[in-house]
Amino acid sequence: MKLFTLQNPLWACAALVLASPAVADDGYRLWLGEGATTQARSGVEVRGESETLRLAADELRRNLPALSVPVVVARADDAALAGLRLDARSLGSEGYAVRRAQVAGREVLLVTGSVDVGVLYGAFALLRHINSGGDIANIDLASSPQTKLRILNHWDNLDGVVERGYSGQSLWDWWVLPDFKDPRYADYARANASIGINGTVLNNVNAKADSLTAPYIAKAAALADVFRLYGIRVYLSARFSAPIELGGLKTADPRDPAVAAWWKAKADEIYRAIPDFGGFLVKANSEGQPGPRDYGASHADGANMLAAAVKPHNGIVMWRAFVYADTDPEDRAKQAYTEFKPLDGSFADNVLVQVKNGAIDFQPREPFHPLFGAMPRTPLIAEFQITKEYLGFATHLAYLGPLFEEVLDAQTGVRRGETVASVVTGKADGHSLSGMAGVANIGRDRDWSGGTFNQANWYVFGRMAWDPSLSSEAIAREWAAQTFGNDPVVIDTVVAMMMRSREAVVDYTGPLGLAHLFATGHHYGPGPWVSDLARPEWNPVYYHRADRQGIGFDRTRTGSNAVAQYAPVLARRYADPKTTPPEELLWFHHLPWDYKMPAGNTLWEEMVRRYDRGVAEVDSMRSQWATLRPRIDAERWTKTDAFLGVQQREARWWRDASLAYWMSINGLPLPNGSAAPQHDLEWYRQQSFPFAPGNPK
Amino acid sequence: MKLFTLQNPLWACAALVLASPAVADDGYRLWLGEGATTQARSGVEVRGESETLRLAADELRRNLPALSVPVVVARADDAALAGLRLDARSLGSEGYAVRRAQVAGREVLLVTGSVDVGVLYGAFALLRHINSGGDIANIDLASSPQTKLRILNHWDNLDGVVERGYSGQSLWDWWVLPDFKDPRYADYARANASIGINGTVLNNVNAKADSLTAPYIAKAAALADVFRLYGIRVYLSARFSAPIELGGLKTADPRDPAVAAWWKAKADEIYRAIPDFGGFLVKANSEGQPGPRDYGASHADGANMLAAAVKPHNGIVMWRAFVYADTDPEDRAKQAYTEFKPLDGSFADNVLVQVKNGAIDFQPREPFHPLFGAMPRTPLIAEFQITKEYLGFATHLAYLGPLFEEVLDAQTGVRRGETVASVVTGKADGHSLSGMAGVANIGRDRDWSGGTFNQANWYVFGRMAWDPSLSSEAIAREWAAQTFGNDPVVIDTVVAMMMRSREAVVDYTGPLGLAHLFATGHHYGPGPWVSDLARPEWNPVYYHRADRQGIGFDRTRTGSNAVAQYAPVLARRYADPKTTPPEELLWFHHLPWDYKMPAGNTLWEEMVRRYDRGVAEVDSMRSQWATLRPRIDAERWTKTDAFLGVQQREARWWRDASLAYWMSINGLPLPNGSAAPQHDLEWYRQQSFPFAPGNPK
């Protein structure tokens, strides 16, 4: 609701000031300060004509408190900064510095960077510093991004439906683009710039060829025009069969010169409209998408052909490794490695292979993908899911920072100190191309992500893509301060809730390394009993393999031997249930229900204990949130409280449905003190959600 | 964008006041003043405990300017008003009065009504009066609604897609209801109450049975709980075959006692959750929907069976007359009359038959539906389309007030002075049940209706449903003043644009009574050449019947004789092209291309003249809008300007495509001075819009 009439802002203002503690916050501003509708203060000097520098200065003018020193916003190569001997190279290609300095004979607070957008990043860093309680006395902020590509993947269809989207329809109003550019597009770009994101793939990886037609190129160009000032490049998902569908060719075989020529011409056409177009993202030969394998060509053949088309324009290709064949009886967790590992070294130098964080599909917990560390000659982008397809959609509170951190910090075992992060940043193998991709949780809902806490997942993705060494807790803390203000009670409580939240989801949906127990299609709610889907690896029973004797997927030598895809040190560790972390136990091992856990209880008892723990944790989150009621604006408090109520009910549903099913398999009683499921198994099996969001037909 | 930080509202306020002429308006507030987030003034006294009275008082406290007299908000039966001898009956069942009065010995401005919601209507009437430039010196406002049911029909599917919706997804977030009630629901109800709307059908007439399941009843009840305070009742579209789909019955035959019992139990269940549930809307045996005709029963059998189920709870049934059979070779325009006229007198007393404004389907212009005046023993609800399915979606500016007014003012010819309005209000035939239904143009877009001027169509529907005798121009004027403020230049310009806008759309899409020339399925853009659809009456060629000799649908005695469905005086007028208004000429007559028009030019020349006029009118609208740039906030100005740009381009497209097609049929040249189409016909035929909004697959 707009807060003022045009007629009488003065009166409304006076009224509002009286009411300030109760000012409603509809979540639109995210973790940021005021947007362009707010009048700017003076005291910030911008040097140079760049629009991006002007944006940086405006951001500070609107959102910095009054400071004792003037603020100067300038690029490191500005003449007035020459005396400072700023080492532009040390700032990094998109880096920034914020420090006290003498500029033109005055003591100022300098916000600078090696390029325009670096200065903008510096402005946001300064605001983050101030809003997190920092001061400017001895301020010396400097940072540069550790990955080159920090990219959102929008799984947005052209009809406005967002696959796995739970926050309303697509932000892109394709229908009225390019004529009408919603002011929200700039707000989107601003929010991304504030956390260092520098690229966005506009359309779903399950792509329509239509995105590559002239009208849609013009629409994408209109978005690129808005985003450019914020340092954000536009990318498109490319449908591999587009030469057939749009070009009228008989084949999309990447080795066919006519196909390559079609893509070259298409790339040229795109670059005429979008000179800084980033490149293509491709999902090929995966879940029904066309690809080079349709013609007996390899993924490298396909990727390299596209890479050649964009190479003259400095474009790149991100080629997804998320493949599994409906005809392949091999453990699904092994197939991407099997297919891509042999291709290491055969990709063009402007191709990155995009690898999901785990080998299955964005489960609440998975071991890191064995391709990390296994393709040293190929830059790998890590793909994370920011939207919570498997973690309760928009309603369940699950802060994904600890999930991202766990994956990034994982040792690959290939070399001492080599982590997934060091692979992803390119440092492990000396790649200058590097990146992190996040499947966006952004839609047209007023609060962008369908709930305040979901905004934190967008935020933490951007911050970790910038610097994978940041701690998820520190990021939670800075997010909370910027989002809710500097009340330490609020920050401490919120951060505590966030930091335990993802583990709670793991506990109530699939503890001890269980995975993919979700209901069919929409992935909402439990479906561990599902066994009737066409492809074996679509069925939860494929993953848990529970029977009267035991549960879990044997991925050791006696099973699929997926453990052998990891470096020897890890393969050995995962080969033995005693040395496998309990959190990943049933991912790697099929174990008897009475397997003795380290604490002395049985596997079954430990499973139940964790389900119960997950449910209790959600109860606790809701109680904690209740204590914050007087400290948070009513609108955001109420929505989160309602969502936590949903999560309480649904955590119990997950726990009860899962236990009812496991008991029907193992015939075991519940441990003492653990409550019986509320309904019988049949009741849980009957639940149906034909209109679940995010599940395009 | 929220305008203030929580931290420093004072400073932001000071800044904002300086910037007030440029305050952004994102359109969320509609034609209203400030909502609940604004602090209230004193000086308004509310008498009584009713929540609705409190809402009325709050509305005045927030949005009335300072007045020289205190304001008292009270029901007419309040003890303090006894001395005023207010005639509660004269106020009407939902009426209001606003006048100076002595209350408890003080001179006050009294806002009163016979029931709580009448008082709320009075509060909005007072604000409308003031914001349209009225004063309170001799204020004496009194009005009561002329129809009993003033209802929005939401064609909203349970997956969030709005059929024929062009303003984002469904406002109802079914997925998180009933747990989370978006604050927007109250804003929706408030906006409706401000224009007198008192009912809303939540789901699409192409209904899923799921809406009648327990979870969805609970969700609807949560909405009803919000709407109730604003005097708005909830209705549901009922799928006629629900007893089979939900109840497991073998039939939905309305004469089967088990079917009747199922509906009775279902109605009882709904009323337990929603005690003031309004009733059912039914689309039966129409465009594939199930209905009583599937069993050889009549529409009256079906309607009466449902009516009996809701009767004990004072519910009603609205039964749509929009039927046409795929097996019936009769002129589609005749079929509803043929089917329903004989049923007059056989409907239960809590059934209304819902009749579209014209006999085909919400075309930019249609003669009024011949059922109006033909069913004197049955209350008829007129159904208008507020959303612009056939008038350029959300982008084209087309104020529908003149369309509604034209229909409502039409003489039925049955009796002297009998108009469609007098039928719809029930006055013509003495019905106490009466109503107007509007297919909503409301979605989750920030500005509700996909553009500022579309809000006027929502507004004018409510105002005319309240009082069909209001003029569309007066309503445009009061809307403009409330929406843009009291700048007479703005109001005059905006009203002038609005008043000619619908005729412009008629001109460039289908002048002289042409209809249904739209592209297939989505109804976006021209498709007069379409002739290959399965059902004859789905093809534009069915409607225009153009050939080398002439054009138009002969509905006289030599043709379908649809004219005979009108009262004799009208039947005679429509039987002769000389006495048929030019605007309806080709609706009723097939005429040679060289037919002489009253002005002396040929039919073909007149057609081209009107196409050109429509295009010129849009050019003119855009120029007029350009002059308002300094007088309107940038956000709303820019969006409307962009949309007018789209309309300019598309008006030309419509004109060029249509003329290219007509010329391919009649072989005639364009009159001197009329520009050739930009492309050849084939180009227009190739245009395709697979992702047009509002067209669920």
Side-chain angles (χ1 to χ4, degrees), chain B residues 590-620:
Chain B
H590 185 85
L591 297 173
W593 293 102
D594 61 358
Y595 174 82
K596 271 276 186 286
M597 297 296 292
N601 55 356
T602 67
L603 174 64
W604 170 239
E605 289 163 346
E606 179 63 16
M607 272 179 67
V608 176
R609 190 182 78 80
R610 291 186 182 226
Y611 278 113
D612 284 334
R613 185 175 71 180
V615 170
E617 186 63 47
V618 179
D619 289 343
S620 162

Side-chain angles (χ1 to χ4, degrees), chain A residues 603-622:
Chain A
L603 173 65
W604 170 240
E605 288 163 348
E606 180 63 16
M607 274 179 66
V608 175
R609 188 182 77 84
R610 290 186 182 225
Y611 278 112
D612 283 335
R613 185 175 71 179
V615 169
E617 186 63 47
V618 179
D619 290 342
S620 162
M621 286 201 292
R622 194 168 189 205

Side-chain angles (χ1 to χ4, degrees), chain A residues 181-206:
Chain A
K181 300 179 197 175
D182 194 305
R184 190 162 187 172
Y185 302 147
D187 292 331
Y188 162 86
R190 170 188 180 232
N192 280 321
S194 79
I195 50 176
I197 288 171
N198 68 354
T200 182
V201 185
L202 298 175
N203 61 318
N204 194 348
V205 288
N206 293 321

